[in-house]
Amino acid sequence: MDGVMDALNTESTDQASGNGQQSEQASPPHCRKQRGFCADQIPCLPESVKSRQRFGEDLQPVGDYAGVEPYYRVCEDVGDVQHQDQTEPKAFEASDWWWNHRRVRFLNGRAFIGLSALLLLIPYAWGGIVLVGGGWLLYFLVYQLVVDMPSVVFMLAMLFTYVAWMAVSFYILIKTMPWVTGAFALLLRPFDKLLGKLLDRSLEAGESFFSRETGGVSFALPGGKKLTAPFEEFDAYVERVIQHGGIFYRLMFVHRYTGKQFSQTSLSRVEPTKEEVMALWDMLQRYMDVSQPLPDVPRLEPFRHLDPVTAVHDQRTGRNPRFWRDLDFEAWQQGEGAEWLKRQVTYPWDKRRCRLTPQLGKIAMQAYREKRPEGTYPI
């Protein structure tokens, strides 16, 4: 859906007849038409079908911006953007670059997990062959040599074999992995077209987006379906993820009127700090808010001049249009970058106020359904 969120004005019903029915109240004047999402013009919304409070997950406010970018994501993206700018700058204009002034695209669900598993298949398979297969072969050979020796000698020989093979196998993996992946790629070359079609299908099935242009959000669902709805229909949560080594955090989205949740995406990865996730949510909101300039992050820099609000902002502030692409990253990390991280950690995130919650319950569900854009997921 690239539909626009129309005004959600509550229409008055017919005047009550002899059965005593009362007419609905008219909508407040601020529930007006808008192009894209704007925190100052959040439309009237029906109540959530379920409680918005979730155990172990922190509901995030909407419309109160910190102006803080996700520091660790920015640090990773600087290298990618600079490399792309130096090797093939025209790629920024191609569809392969998934962030621009119109949309932020990402993979959701099984397509994202499947592609990740495919990328990990080769090194894990080769590692298993070397470590496990080679280990069993060596174990069998040594066993044949020492099986008739005294038990103490037998145990020491087998223990030494195990420890020695662990060290040798890791050395072998380090030296041979580039050759193995290269050979595998060479074997697959005759099937490039077939694999390309399969990959395109997988990408298309899993492709999701946040559209600044329309204010719409689309998440891929199983079976090739899409849940497409206005941005203000989604609640964002900081989800706690328990893994080996402790508790981590991830941004999760829940569609308020269907209960469907989305966290397994290439956009909302697991982070070591809660502040990084809240900064990601802050960045996404400002990206969607057409009254705000684009977030000042590396992936969006090549497109800042194409967004009218951002172009005016950059001209007024004198921003260097190639700040990230020409950045001395190491020097930035020691100076301004350190200040970014400090601000992210010390910002009073708990003081933010939600500008969406007061709009809930100001329109009946049936009336709201009739005003939703065409192509949106049914509720």
Side-chain angles (χ1 to χ4, degrees):
M1 184 278 300
D2 280 342
V4 181
M5 187 61 193
D6 293 327
L8 298 179
N9 300 324
T10 307
E11 297 180 354
S12 299
T13 59
D14 295 332
Q15 294 296 322
S17 56
N19 58 10
Q21 291 179 329
Q22 295 182 349
S23 61
E24 294 180 9
Q25 294 181 348
S27 298
H30 60 266
C31 295
R32 60 182 179 270
K33 292 185 177 181
Q34 58 178 325
R35 172 70 178 178
F37 172 78
C38 181
D40 291 332
Q41 299 180 18
I42 296 176
C44 300
L45 298 165
E47 284 286 359
S48 175
V49 295
K50 295 181 179 179
S51 172
R52 299 170 74 209
Q53 302 303 317
R54 303 168 69 97
F55 179 76
E57 297 162 354
D58 300 330
L59 178 63
Q60 296 300 294
V62 176
D64 190 357
Y65 306 138
V68 175
E69 314 299 355
Y71 172 78
Y72 295 107
R73 184 180 294 265
V74 167
C75 289
E76 292 184 12
D77 288 349
V78 168
D80 293 340
V81 172
Q82 289 185 348
H83 175 74
Q84 192 66 62
D85 183 64
Q86 294 167 7
T87 56
E88 193 178 355
K90 290 186 177 180
F92 292 128
E93 304 171 8
S95 60
D96 291 340
W97 194 260
W98 280 35
W99 289 39
N100 60 31
H101 60 295
R102 294 190 178 96
R103 289 185 179 185
V104 166
R105 294 186 294 161
F106 57 96
L107 292 177
N108 175 61
R110 291 185 296 179
F112 167 57
I113 298 171
L115 288 174
S116 301
L118 181 62
L119 294 174
L120 293 173
L121 176 63
I122 299 172
Y124 272 100
W126 178 239
I129 292 173
V130 173
L131 187 61
V132 180
W136 274 110
L137 179 61
L138 184 61
Y139 177 90
F140 176 77
L141 294 175
V142 174
Y143 178 85
Q144 297 297 321
L145 294 174
V146 300
V147 64
D148 295 326
M149 292 186 178
S151 58
V152 175
V153 176
F154 175 83
M155 293 296 295
L156 289 175
M158 300 309 294
L159 179 62
F160 175 78
T161 301
Y162 172 78
V163 174
W165 177 245
M166 290 294 291
V168 171
S169 62
F170 279 111
Y171 178 80
I172 293 174
L173 287 174
I174 293 172
K175 293 297 183 180
T176 60
M177 189 63 73
W179 294 93
V180 171
T181 53
F184 189 78
L186 188 62
L187 290 173
L188 292 178
R189 184 165 294 177
F191 308 100
D192 276 351
K193 291 185 178 180
L194 175 61
L195 291 174
K197 290 181 180 180
L198 293 175
L199 182 60
D200 289 342
R201 287 182 183 177
S202 179
L203 289 174
E204 183 179 354
E207 183 180 327
S208 308
F209 64 78
F210 285 84
S211 175
R212 176 178 173 94
E213 205 169 35
T214 68
V217 179
S218 182
F219 282 96
L221 296 173
K225 298 180 180 179
K226 307 277 186 178
L227 193 161
T228 304
F231 178 67
E232 56 267 19
E233 288 189 12
F234 292 88
D235 289 324
Y237 295 83
V238 175
E239 177 188 21
R240 289 169 176 81
V241 181
I242 300 176
Q243 295 183 347
H244 295 294
I247 299 177
F248 299 86
Y249 304 91
R250 177 171 57 197
L251 185 61
M252 179 179 71
F253 302 96
V254 176
H255 186 241
R256 193 180 308 114
Y257 304 115
T258 63
K260 295 184 182 296
Q261 64 183 52
F262 308 92
S263 60
Q264 301 288 341
T265 74
S266 60
L267 180 68
S268 52
R269 62 193 186 187
V270 175
E271 302 288 356
T273 68
K274 187 176 179 179
E275 292 79 13
E276 178 77 5
V277 179
M278 291 187 290
L280 173 61
W281 172 236
D282 193 81
M283 181 196 75
L284 281 175
Q285 290 183 86
R286 287 181 284 113
Y287 174 83
M288 292 296 290
D289 193 332
V290 293
S291 70
Q292 299 287 316
L294 290 171
D296 197 346
V297 295
R299 287 189 177 275
L300 294 173
E301 183 177 68
F303 310 97
R304 294 183 66 87
H305 66 287
L306 299 175
D307 181 77
V309 174
T310 307
V312 171
H313 170 272
D314 289 355
Q315 185 176 14
R316 184 177 69 251
T317 59
R319 183 190 182 279
N320 177 3
R322 292 187 53 87
F323 175 80
W324 292 113
R325 285 168 286 179
D326 296 336
L327 180 70
D328 183 339
F329 178 62
E330 292 184 0
W332 179 84
Q333 271 192 308
Q334 300 299 320
E336 185 181 354
E339 292 297 321
W340 274 39
L341 180 58
K342 180 180 178 181
R343 183 163 183 254
Q344 177 177 299
V345 173
T346 60
Y347 186 83
W349 296 102
D350 58 336
K351 302 297 183 182
R352 295 169 297 162
R353 295 292 178 264
C354 186
R355 302 173 71 175
L356 181 145
T357 300
Q359 296 299 95
L360 296 178
K362 289 190 174 181
I363 186 172
M365 179 63 78
Q366 184 57 40
Y368 179 74
R369 288 192 183 105
E370 295 173 359
K371 295 175 179 293
R372 296 176 81 225
E374 293 185 6
T376 52
Y377 195 81
I379 59 175

